[in-house]
Amino acid sequence: MTAHPHALDEPVVLEKTVVVSWKAPIAYAVFTLLLLLLVLFGSRDASTTFRLSAATDAVKLGDVTVPAVLTGWVTVILLAILSVYSVILVQAKRRVPLWLTVVFAVVFMFGFLTWAAAGSTIPVTGLLFGAVSLAVPLIYGSLAGVIGERVGVVNIAIEGQLLAGAFSAAVVASITRQPWLGLVAAMIAGVLVAFVLAAFSIKYFVDQVIVGVVLNVLVVGLTSFFYSQVLVANAATLNTPPRFDRIPLPLLSDIPIIGPVLFRQTVIVYLMYIAVALVYIGLFHTKWGLRLRAVGEHPQAADTVGIKVNRTRFWNVALAGAIAGLGGTFFTIGSGIAFNKEMTAGAGYIALAAVIFGQWDPIKATLAALLFGFASNLQNTLSVIGSPVPSEFMLMLPYVVTILAVAGFVGKSRAPAASGRPYIKS
């Protein structure tokens, strides 16, 4: 039997295996069913008003009032359509796009807010402003987490770095009456905590998670001790920090809704905008970022081409500590509040959740932190207006979303390959 003379010249076509995931349609269906149940059994025959402008805004927008019941049914129908569309995409072996998830989330949140605030008024600008404010330390912490894990070190000590920054900023700013010096002191405090993490995890190969947890406990203990023994007795001189004033940016601060939320902030928030941009550009568009990511993904290969792996890890963990320490200033000189025991209240751990949710990307981690800030401020807003939604439900919402993210319902999360693994040069 002879082969066809041109058989060897014909290209071999291999069938492409397409992995079909029903996670997104299932998540869509669950949230659609949840809103349907709320509309069916919890609707109140009232209207919800969304206040888009405050009395001090240069450009004022009128209030938007919608009937709660009708809006609830319309949003349920829209969510059902989006869910069916996601099913069609999966059946056609196509990936559910990110924009569809974003649209679904916006529609669901609008319907939920309309139901939860029936008969009341929601100050949209105040809700968003509070969300950004509460997200500030989370964003700084998530940037520190992204840098640490991208270079191969799990920075569990973000909580300790935030708390050390808050303490140092309060004390130094109180003594000098200069919030800028407090800001510098906070960054130094964050670096010192990071140095300890780097020394034990990089040089002595101690488990990074254990070192981070121990550091958090150590910083909590030290700051609590100094607070009780020193700050309480000398509160007037050591724990009355001045605060950064809000600086409205010309023209930008007058943009409706966006202006008051983003451009009437303190210098700490403006520095946050710059930090997010610099970390993103640095990670993905500079030689520094390329080396950092190489060390976090394949340290052996990085070492082969001449990159000092452990030195790169050490100094980038220190940089992450400085960023987290800067984030700690929000609790004291950023808000004009005296330092108190454990005032960070687990913000460092939420920042780590934002890192995972954001898939180790600074922009996505920032958006995740903003989501957590929004959920936290939403429970405050709903409790003020007397909503029937239990505050405990709103408090657990960010963590539920994080679990869904880690499980892959809103995208796959894969940590850098060498994250958490010490590098021992052979």
Side-chain angles (χ1 to χ4, degrees):
M1 181 176 180
T2 59
H4 191 277
H6 299 290
L8 298 178
D9 297 330
E10 295 178 357
V12 178
V13 180
L14 299 177
E15 291 186 4
K16 183 179 179 180
T17 303
V18 179
V19 179
V20 177
S21 175
W22 288 92
K23 291 180 179 179
I26 292 173
Y28 289 1
V30 169
F31 282 101
T32 302
L33 180 60
L34 173 62
L35 188 58
L36 175 61
L37 294 176
L38 293 177
V39 172
L40 280 175
F41 301 107
S43 290
R44 290 173 289 171
D45 190 10
S47 297
T48 302
T49 300
F50 293 89
R51 182 172 296 155
L52 303 180
S53 299
T56 56
D57 292 349
V59 179
K60 294 183 175 59
L61 302 177
D63 296 347
V64 176
T65 302
V66 295
V69 176
L70 177 61
T71 304
W73 282 111
V74 170
T75 51
V76 167
I77 293 172
L78 290 176
L79 294 178
I81 293 173
L82 294 175
S83 301
V84 171
Y85 180 58
S86 68
V87 171
I88 294 174
L89 289 176
V90 173
Q91 286 182 335
K93 300 188 183 300
R94 295 172 59 188
R95 185 174 62 88
V96 177
L98 179 61
W99 67 262
L100 188 64
T101 301
V102 173
V103 172
F104 185 93
V106 171
V107 174
F108 174 83
M109 186 53 62
F110 177 72
F112 176 77
L113 286 176
T114 303
W115 170 82
S120 304
T121 299
I122 293 182
V124 175
T125 301
L127 176 62
L128 297 179
F129 183 88
V132 172
S133 297
L134 291 176
V136 169
L138 305 182
I139 292 174
Y140 277 113
S142 65
L143 291 178
V146 167
I147 292 175
E149 296 215 28
R150 283 284 186 175
V151 83
V153 177
V154 180
N155 192 358
I156 299 292
I158 295 174
E159 176 75 8
Q161 293 160 3
L162 289 173
L163 190 59
F167 177 84
S168 302
V171 173
V172 173
S174 298
I175 295 173
T176 63
R177 310 309 301 172
Q178 295 293 329
W180 282 103
L181 293 179
L183 188 148
V184 174
M187 296 179 68
I188 294 174
V191 169
L192 292 177
V193 176
F195 274 166
V196 178
L197 172 66
F200 280 95
S201 62
I202 297 173
K203 183 174 178 60
Y204 298 107
F205 313 123
V206 181
D207 186 277
Q208 297 170 5
V209 175
I210 295 176
V211 175
V213 172
V214 170
L215 277 176
N216 289 337
V217 175
L218 175 64
V219 173
V220 168
L222 286 175
T223 54
S224 298
F225 171 79
F226 285 119
Y227 171 78
S228 300
Q229 301 299 317
V230 181
L231 298 190
V232 171
N234 303 277
T237 56
L238 297 180
N239 200 17
T240 55
R243 63 165 294 170
F244 283 108
D245 295 327
R246 288 196 178 94
I247 305 173
L249 299 184
L251 299 179
L252 293 176
S253 61
D254 294 330
I255 300 174
I257 301 178
I258 297 177
V261 172
L262 299 180
F263 304 116
R264 294 182 189 173
Q265 296 282 2
T266 65
V267 67
I268 295 175
V269 179
Y270 295 137
L271 288 175
M272 180 190 74
Y273 300 157
I274 297 173
V276 172
L278 289 180
V279 171
Y280 176 78
I281 294 172
L283 274 180
F284 300 110
H285 300 283
T286 66
K287 183 186 293 185
W288 164 75
L290 180 62
R291 293 186 174 189
L292 184 150
R293 288 182 287 121
V295 167
E297 287 290 345
H298 204 306
Q300 290 84 2
D303 193 8
T304 302
V305 298
I307 299 174
K308 304 296 184 182
V309 174
N310 287 337
R311 180 184 299 177
T312 301
R313 287 185 169 182
F314 190 93
W315 290 111
N316 281 286
V317 169
L319 172 62
I323 293 174
L326 176 57
T329 61
F330 171 81
F331 295 100
T332 50
I333 59 177
S335 304
I337 300 175
F339 179 82
N340 205 346
K341 291 182 179 180
E342 302 181 46
M343 66 185 311
T344 51
Y349 298 108
I350 301 177
L352 277 176
V355 173
I356 299 172
F357 192 5
Q359 301 174 342
W360 294 268
D361 179 278
I363 300 296
K364 293 180 180 178
T366 297
L367 295 176
L370 286 171
L371 174 62
F372 293 170
F374 178 81
S376 299
N377 194 49
L378 181 59
Q379 65 95 13
N380 295 330
T381 302
L382 293 180
S383 62
V384 168
I385 65 176
S387 172
V389 182
S391 60
E392 293 79 7
F393 172 79
M394 299 308 305
L395 284 174
M396 76 178 185
L397 183 60
Y399 305 98
V400 173
V401 174
T402 303
I403 293 172
L404 293 176
V406 175
F409 282 96
V410 290
K412 295 181 179 179
S413 295
R414 186 192 71 84
S419 179
R421 301 178 182 177
Y423 176 65
I424 304 174
K425 188 170 183 177
S426 57

